[in-house]
Structure formats: C-alpha cells, structure tokens
C-alpha cells in the first residue's frame, strides 16, 4: 500500500531517512512512502537459499565480493530502495558502520512480494538500470521464474541482455564467476 507524502508533496530521500525510525519497513518510490509487508515463508526460503549458495561458493573462492540482505539504496532525490539481496565486489563493501550505499550495488535481487512486485518489475527496474546497476534478478516465486537483466559489458548504457529462466535452468552471472544456481533447487523442487 502506498501512502502519500505530507501535503501531497513528494517525499525526498533526506526526509525518508529522517523518518525511518517511524516506518522501518518501508521504501520510497517516486516520492511515495511504500509500506512493505512482512515477507512470506517462501520469500524468505528463496533468499536464504541464495545466501547459502553464495556463501558456499565464497568459501572456496575468496575475494569474490560480498552479499547482503539489508542496506538502503538511494537513487535520485525521491527513491530509496531496500533490495531483498545485493552483491558488490570486494572494493565496494560497506564499512562495518554503514547501512546505505553511496552508489547502487552491482547486483540487485528482488523476490516477489505482494506489496512491492509491481514496483520491482516497473519503476524500480528502470531506476536501477538508469543508476548503473550491472545486473538485476527479479525472482517470481508465483511462476517459479527468474527474470535476469544485465549489461553485456561494463560500459553498456542499458540492460541489453534479458533472460527468462525456469526451474529447469541454471542461473549464473559474469559478475561472480563460478557461482551457479540450480533454479529447481532454489524454488524448492
């Protein structure tokens, strides 16, 4: 559910951060405060499986970056997103006392949630692309599909590769060589 900012004026990221304690489970999308529902069990299972798969890979591939499940991503003056999962290379790790990214993560993962999915596949995807995110995975737990959008090269101006992967496929990313995700297992088949 989207709540209008005060006086129908778009809320800024600065105002959002000043009121985060009042509304801890929210994102700011085009100046509108969007309340985020508590994730369903399947949503959490998918995120936990992705984390486990990444950490297993990272154990045998030191220096392959950092993955996380919290961290504010401000994009422009009127947007603050909290991806379900993110990855950055080692040189872009958040400091121990940081909770916000100065620039968006390289890889963003959004898992389907009733309160935010329409934003994930619409304005958030476009804004991640415009902000220079290298790759976005939209994990649709209702259809057991992953929509992966990526740039074919670091200087590509837009996502020029779009993949639709099902439970029969394996998901990989050029950002983390060797990390391989069996989507059937990810979806709990």
């Amino acid at each position: 559910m989207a709540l209008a900012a005060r006086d129908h004026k778009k809320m800024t990221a600065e105002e959002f951060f000043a009121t985060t304690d009042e509304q801890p489970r929210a994102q700011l999308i085009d100046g509108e405060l969007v309340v985020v529902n508590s994730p369903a069990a399947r949503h959490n299972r998918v995120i936990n499986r992705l984390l486990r798969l990444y950490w297993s890979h990272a154990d045998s591939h030191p220096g392959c970056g950092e993955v996380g499940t919290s961290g504010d991503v401000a994009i422009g003056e009127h947007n603050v997103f909290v991806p379900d999962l993110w990855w950055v290379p080692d040189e872009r790790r958040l400091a121990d006392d940081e909770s916000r990214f100065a620039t968006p993560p390289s890889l963003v993962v959004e898992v389907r949630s009733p309160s935010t999915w329409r934003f994930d596949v619409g304005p958030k995807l476009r804004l991640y692309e415009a902000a220079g995110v290298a790759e976005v995975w939209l994990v649709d737990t209702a259809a057991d599909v992953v929509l992966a959008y990526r740039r074919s090269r670091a200087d590509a101006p837009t996502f020029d590769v779009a993949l639709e992967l099902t439970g029969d496929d394996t998901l990989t990313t050029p950002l983390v060589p060797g990390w391989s995700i069996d989507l059937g297992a990810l979806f709990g088949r």
Side-chain angles (χ1 to χ4, degrees):
M1 163 180 18
L3 301 176
R6 295 178 201 114
D7 301 327
H8 302 293
K9 181 182 135 206
K10 285 185 176 184
M11 181 182 274
T12 66
E14 186 177 322
E15 291 168 330
F16 174 83
F17 289 130
T19 63
T20 301
D21 291 339
E22 297 170 25
Q23 190 56 259
R25 296 191 58 82
Q27 297 185 60
L28 184 65
I29 302 174
D30 193 27
E32 299 291 324
L33 190 64
V34 177
V35 177
V36 179
N37 297 335
S38 293
R42 186 155 196 241
H43 182 277
N44 286 333
R45 284 186 201 110
V46 165
I47 292 169
N48 288 333
R49 287 179 185 132
L50 281 170
L51 286 168
R52 188 177 64 244
L53 289 168
Y54 179 80
W55 289 329
S56 176
H57 175 74
D59 284 345
S60 58
H61 297 84
C64 68
E66 180 176 49
V67 70
T69 58
S70 62
D72 294 323
V73 179
I75 298 179
E77 184 181 4
H78 299 287
N79 297 287
V80 179
F81 306 147
V82 183
D84 291 313
L85 191 109
W86 51 262
W87 175 87
V88 293
D90 282 330
E91 63 272 10
R92 293 197 42 226
R93 287 175 179 256
L94 289 174
D96 288 345
D97 62 343
E98 288 181 312
S99 62
R100 298 180 190 149
F101 285 94
T103 59
S106 300
L107 171 65
V108 168
V109 180
E110 297 284 3
V111 179
R112 187 180 187 117
S113 175
S115 61
T116 61
W117 187 247
R118 72 180 184 278
F119 299 112
D120 295 340
V121 298
K124 287 174 66 176
L125 177 63
R126 290 189 301 275
L127 288 163
Y128 282 138
E129 179 181 40
V133 172
E135 190 163 344
V136 173
W137 299 348
L138 300 174
V139 181
D140 186 345
T141 54
D144 286 357
V145 168
V146 174
L147 304 172
Y149 298 90
R150 63 177 62 135
R151 297 168 199 275
S152 60
R153 57 188 199 289
D155 63 347
T158 62
F159 294 138
D160 54 349
V161 176
L163 306 170
E164 182 174 335
L165 305 165
T166 68
D168 297 328
D169 296 315
T170 299
L171 175 60
T172 61
T173 174
L175 298 173
V176 188
W179 187 26
S180 178
I181 301 160
D182 174 338
L183 294 182
L186 178 69
F187 290 122
R189 288 196 202 160

